[in-house]
Structure formats: structure tokens, C-alpha cells
Amino acid sequence: MKRTKVIDALKCTAYGSDICVKGWVRSKRGSKGIFFIALNDGSTIKNVQIVGDDAKFDEETLKRITTGACLSVEGKLVESPAAGQASEIQATAIEVLGDCDNTYPLQKKGASWEYLRTVAHLRPRTNTFGAILRIRHNMAMAIHTYFHEHGYFYFHTPLITASDCEGAGNMFQVTTKNLYDLKKDEQGKIIYDDDFFGEQTSLTVSGQLEGELGATALGAIYTFGPTFRAENSNTPRHLAEFWMIEPEIAFMDQEELMDLEEDFIKYCVRWALDNCKDDLEFLNKMVDKGLIERLEGVLKEEFFRLPYTEGIRILQEAVKGGKKFEFPCEWGDDLASEHERYLVEEHFKKPVIMTDYPRSFKSFYMKQNQETADGGSIGYKGAVAPGPTMQGTDVLFPSIGEIIGGSVREESYDKLMSEVRRREMDMTHLWWYLDTRKYGSCPHAGFGLGFERLILFVTGMQNIRDVIPFPRTPRNAEF
Ligand code: 4AD
Ligand code: MG
């Protein structure tokens, strides 16, 4: 008999018809010679209930129906007398496809997140991880659909690169060299001539620079792929391998970029509410009681657009009023997550798009705001800053902090080069990037959304290790 997925079996109302389902046993209980099996096949958070008469099955088979075992069940679909389910299956034949003994690590309910990370190869079979992973899939579909519908082209940027986009120098090297026998030159520098690519290469930290090549040819592109950062950040928000979505758009200015950031995130959240109802309801009940309300809240809010300089003023005001921060917040300092959270969660109580950052801690490629005679600059809606600023526009979210990092790009070759020189950057490997500013340069802008940070927000989970099937973090590359 052809197999029916549990999600379809639960919707089916052809009571009395024969049906075959396959899946893993979530639980089995019995009473007065009748057994009840909760069977799940991953197609939905919901289990289908299998009911059977002990007497009609041989004892050996019944013994093998344990938590975690894989079954094929044939029977009749009937209306269920039990609350909370429309139908159930009266079993006529059960085949154990895969036994599961009592060493199965997922037998006990209520295991901690930490424990489940040690069994990441099996945790997708739990209710919570099933829900998270189905939502993750749905968010990927939302992202592709959004960009496709808005006329963006999916542009594939390389994972192996000879350049460092963010200039942070925290990249994983790619080599086929024998690490026990490295050839070095007279200054002790490694010689890469005989390496696979003939030069030093790394895993990419961002597809942006190549994305700009796409945008200045196709008009609007997006990337969606893995990125790698060898920063030793053991936090609930950082992974060494994470997925990033990077749209890049020609002829887009700062205001339009902020519009896009806001519209895009809202679209994804709405998609989750529209398409992941059962999974969200489960998470709302089991993981985070305020989840659905928070998701709906974000759709109603207009994100607050805040120049960095104004943000610093608010933070300093708060300090004067008695608020204690661990880190300083002088103009020119990068914001710590405590500052971001204060602004988003306590002051504005809604997502914030922060813009016009000091150039001291932002990337070389960002558009420079017009400088004033006294060394200040003029930014978003004419706001004045005491020092040079760039059109970086980050989205800060409640409980997540930075979810998007973006900017308008400096399109002037001369201005870009003056910044490159100021930073004493070696552009040997980025000659092709500079060509975009030499040949038909155009205003353009883009951003990067950390996929896992979006999933954190949408699922209400607290740790980024729990929203990707197999997390990569310092000292952990298992599975
Ligand atoms: O702010 P970031 O570093 O920006 C860029 O890489 C730009 N090139 C993007 C662009 O303009 N095209 O990273 C973008 C986003 C962050 O806002 C954050 O959501 C996520 O990527 N992110 C990480 N997510 C998980 N683990 C990490 N280690 C992350 N680092 C950044
Ligand atoms: Mg950033």
C-alpha cells in the first residue's frame, strides 16, 4: 500500500478507508488490552495516533514497539473519539522497520538544550527541533520568494576567496599544503606559490564585494549562502559557520535601504505566522510564552530610524539618570550589546535601525557623509555629528541585538581610495573591486542578514547553537 504522510493522514476525512503511515514512535501506552502509539514522521509537529488490540498482534512485535523505533503501519482511518485530533488509525498490520533499544538518548522528556547539543545527530527527532527546522526551511522559502517577487536575481558568490571583505582578519585558511613541512621565505613568511591556488586563500566572511559586481550589472541581486568567521566569540549569538543573506541594489539610497530592511524582515515574520502556525503554537506553548505576540507586534511597529549620534545622546542621558553600563558609550565607541538592548528594549521598545556610524569602527567601503569645516559631518535628515560618519544602517532587534548589518556603499573612486589610504589597506587582491568605481560607477547599497539570528527571533530560542542542525563554534565541529 502507498504510504501517506502523517500531515495528510491527519487532514484526511475519508473515514473507513485503508491507509499506510510510516514514522518513529514518540510514545506507546496501553490500557485494558488496547495499545496507543503516537507516531511522527517529521511532516508536521502533530503525531498520528495508532490504536490496536493487543490480542490481534503477536507479542514479539508488540515488544519491539518502543520509543524511537521506526514503524510501518497499515490500518483503517477512523474518526477519533479523543480530544485534540480529528482522526486516528486502527491498526491491522504493523511492521517494525527499525528497532530502538533503551540506550536511545531521547527517551526522557525535558532534556536540557545543553544535553541535546551533545546528541545533535538525533535531536531533529524531538518536537522542538522538528519545529525549529521546519520553520528554518520556511524562512529560506520566504527569503527566496521575497527577492524573486521583487525582481532580484539569486547571485552565487564564491566561498573560497583570496580577499578579506570586512578587513577583520579572522578568516579560516584554505590550503592543500603539508602543514608539517611549510616552505618559508627569508623573512619567515609562508610561500604559497606551490599551494593549490598559488596564493593564500580563505573561506569567505561575506559575499558582499562580489555581490556588488552582480548589482552593478544585474541591477539587484541577493546571495544566500554559508559564511565563515574564525572569531573566538563564545556567545549565544555567534557561530563560526553561519548563513547570510546579502541583497545588493544599484541606485538605492539610505532611506530606500532602510525601507528594504524593514519590509524584508516583516515579510519573513509574516510568512512564519501564515505558514508555520502549528510549529509556532508549539514553541509558544513550550519554549516562549510571548513568542506569537512578539512576532505580531513587530509587524505593527514602525522601526525607529536613529542616527548613531542621537543614540549616544540617549545612552548618556540614561547614564546621567542612574543607568549603569559595563562598557563606556562615548561618541566614537562601538556599541556593546547592552547599549543596543537598552535602546531597543527599554527606550524605544521596538526595533531600531541605527544609521550614520563613526567611520572608526565601520568598514572601508561605506558611503562617507558630507564633512563640515569643523571636522563633523552631516547625515540622515540633516542630523549633525561631531566627527566623520558613514552611511552604515544596522537593524537592532529585541533580545537579538544586531540582526542586519548594511550600508550605502561609497561609489566615488577618489573618496573610496582616500579611505583605503587612510586605513593603509593593501588592495592588491581587490583590484577588481576598485574597477566597479572606475567603470560606470553608480550609487548602490546592500545589507547582510544573519539567517540564524532571524531564526532565533522567529522561534524564540535563546542560543544560536539551537537553530542550526549542526553548529560550528570554537572547539566544536562534531557531527
Ligand atoms: O555586520 P556584518 O559583519 O556585515 C557584513 O558582513 C556585510 N558585508 C553585510 C553586507 O552589507 N552585505 O554581518 C551581517 C550580519 C550581522 O548583522 C549578523 O546578523 C550576522 O551577519 N552575523 C553573524 N551571525 C552569526 N554568527 C556570527 N559570527 C555572525 N557575524 C555576523
Ligand atoms: Mg555588523
Side-chain angles (χ1 to χ4, degrees):
M1 201 191 299
K2 199 166 162 275
R3 169 202 170 212
T4 303
K5 284 190 181 178
V6 169
I7 190 169
D8 299 322
L10 291 174
K11 279 188 217 144
C12 183
T13 52
Y15 300 126
S17 60
D18 292 327
I19 191 164
C20 168
V21 291
K22 299 182 185 189
W24 295 270
V25 176
R26 281 294 159 81
S27 66
K28 177 178 174 242
R29 62 191 173 85
S31 145
K32 297 178 196 146
I34 308 284
F35 64 80
F36 302 87
I37 302 165
L39 198 73
N40 188 285
D41 69 355
S43 59
T44 162
I45 186 88
K46 293 183 177 154
N47 305 321
V48 65
Q49 175 158 278
I50 314 291
V51 188
D53 212 331
D54 283 345
K56 291 193 185 142
F57 293 85
D58 69 274
E59 224 172 290
E60 202 40 45
T61 305
L62 291 178
K63 259 198 235 151
R64 290 170 63 200
I65 302 174
T66 53
T67 298
C70 185
L71 307 183
S72 170
V73 177
E74 290 184 10
K76 243 181 215 355
L77 188 76
V78 297
E79 225 168 327
S80 176
Q85 57 191 28
S87 53
E88 59 185 34
I89 295 170
Q90 269 170 6
T92 49
I94 296 180
E95 185 191 346
V96 179
L97 300 176
D99 290 284
C100 188
D101 69 18
N102 61 11
T103 61
Y104 184 51
L106 299 178
Q107 289 187 105
K108 278 200 225 91
K109 288 210 158 97
S112 69
W113 304 122
E114 289 78 13
Y115 170 73
L116 289 171
R117 276 172 224 144
T118 69
V119 290
H121 59 310
L122 295 170
R123 69 179 182 172
R125 290 197 205 172
T126 63
N127 284 329
T128 306
F129 283 91
I132 294 165
L133 295 175
R134 279 184 297 271
I135 291 173
R136 195 179 155 102
H137 158 80
N138 269 281
M139 287 299 90
M141 298 313 291
I143 288 159
H144 283 299
T145 308
Y146 180 89
F147 287 123
H148 180 68
E149 284 179 351
H150 288 79
Y152 290 61
F153 299 104
Y154 185 20
F155 190 68
H156 295 98
T157 51
L159 300 189
I160 299 174
T161 173
S163 54
D164 175 358
C165 167
E166 297 300 308
N170 44 14
M171 305 176 84
F172 291 101
Q173 287 195 41
V174 175
T175 182
T176 51
K177 285 176 87 73
N178 176 356
L179 297 180
Y180 294 102
D181 183 24
L182 288 175
K183 263 202 297 178
K184 295 186 183 164
D185 66 12
E186 273 143 31
Q187 283 95 49
K189 280 190 156 177
I190 297 166
I191 298 169
Y192 285 97
D193 291 354
D194 60 344
D195 201 355
F196 188 92
F197 295 106
E199 59 183 325
Q200 189 179 1
T201 48
S202 312
L203 292 176
T204 188
V205 295
S206 162
Q208 178 196 322
L209 300 191
E210 289 92 348
E212 288 185 48
L213 307 179
T216 52
L218 302 171
I221 62 94
Y222 70 104
T223 72
F224 188 172
T227 38
F228 308 87
R229 297 197 184 178
E231 51 202 348
N232 204 352
S233 315
N234 245 316
T235 83
R237 307 274 171 267
H238 289 87
L239 290 166
E241 176 181 296
F242 65 100
W243 288 66
M244 186 147 60
I245 297 96
E246 295 186 279
E248 191 71 33
I249 313 94
F251 317 116
M252 180 170 271
D253 67 17
Q254 191 177 17
E255 188 84 56
E256 291 166 327
L257 177 64
M258 291 194 258
D259 290 344
L260 172 68
E261 292 177 342
E262 179 166 348
D263 188 53
F264 170 63
I265 295 195
K266 285 181 171 170
Y267 181 91
C268 293
V269 171
R270 197 173 303 114
W271 183 290
L273 287 166
D274 289 348
N275 296 281
C276 309
K277 197 164 164 284
D278 291 345
D279 288 321
L280 285 177
E281 276 170 5
F282 174 82
L283 294 172
N284 195 70
K285 198 163 88 194
M286 306 302 288
V287 173
D288 176 353
K289 298 265 185 297
L291 175 63
I292 292 180
E293 200 184 314
R294 196 159 58 246
L295 297 181
E296 285 168 347
V298 157
L299 295 184
K300 288 188 213 123
E301 298 289 6
E302 211 172 294
F303 297 4
F304 195 89
R305 300 179 182 192
L306 177 72
Y308 165 91
T309 303
E310 177 64 10
I312 289 289
R313 198 193 58 75
I314 294 169
L315 291 168
Q316 292 178 342
E317 220 34 44
V319 170
K320 272 190 217 143
K323 176 82 195 168
K324 296 255 180 305
F325 292 118
E326 189 184 335
F327 295 99
C329 49
E330 292 301 319
W331 197 93
D333 293 337
D334 197 354
L335 295 187
S337 90
E338 56 176 349
H339 302 131
E340 294 175 347
R341 295 189 71 156
Y342 174 81
L343 291 170
V344 172
E345 292 165 25
E346 293 181 50
H347 188 84
F348 291 103
K349 297 191 169 63
K350 57 158 107 174
V352 167
I353 308 185
M354 186 170 270
T355 193
D356 294 336
Y357 286 89
R359 72 176 176 201
S360 52
F361 59 89
K362 284 293 184 188
S363 299
F364 75 98
Y365 50 69
M366 294 189 182
K367 185 171 176 72
Q368 300 157 27
N369 277 321
Q370 189 197 329
E371 293 191 19
T372 53
D374 60 357
S377 59
I378 301 171
Y380 182 59
K381 291 196 170 161
V384 177
T389 52
M390 301 172 116
Q391 291 184 13
T393 55
D394 289 0
V395 181
L396 312 178
F397 250 51
S399 82
I400 309 291
E402 181 191 326
I403 193 165
I404 278 183
S407 73
V408 182
R409 321 304 187 189
E410 182 53 68
E411 84 261 23
S412 148
Y413 181 83
D414 292 340
K415 283 191 185 165
L416 187 67
M417 282 312 290
S418 77
E419 189 59 22
V420 161
R421 278 191 292 270
R422 212 182 56 76
R423 294 176 188 231
E424 297 176 4
M425 287 174 66
D426 174 10
M427 296 300 272
T428 322
H429 289 285
L430 285 175
W431 63 270
W432 48 268
Y433 182 71
L434 297 174
D435 270 4
T436 55
R437 274 58 167 182
K438 270 191 215 160
Y439 305 121
S441 186
C442 73
H444 60 289
F447 67 77
L449 168 81
F451 189 51
E452 285 74 21
R453 298 215 181 153
L454 174 70
I455 308 298
L456 275 177
F457 182 72
V458 172
T459 59
M461 295 295 290
Q462 293 295 316
N463 194 310
I464 202 162
R465 292 165 179 77
D466 300 329
V467 295
I468 185 166
F470 307 107
R472 297 289 176 254
T473 49
R475 310 203 62 77
N476 175 39
E478 210 173 6
F479 308 110

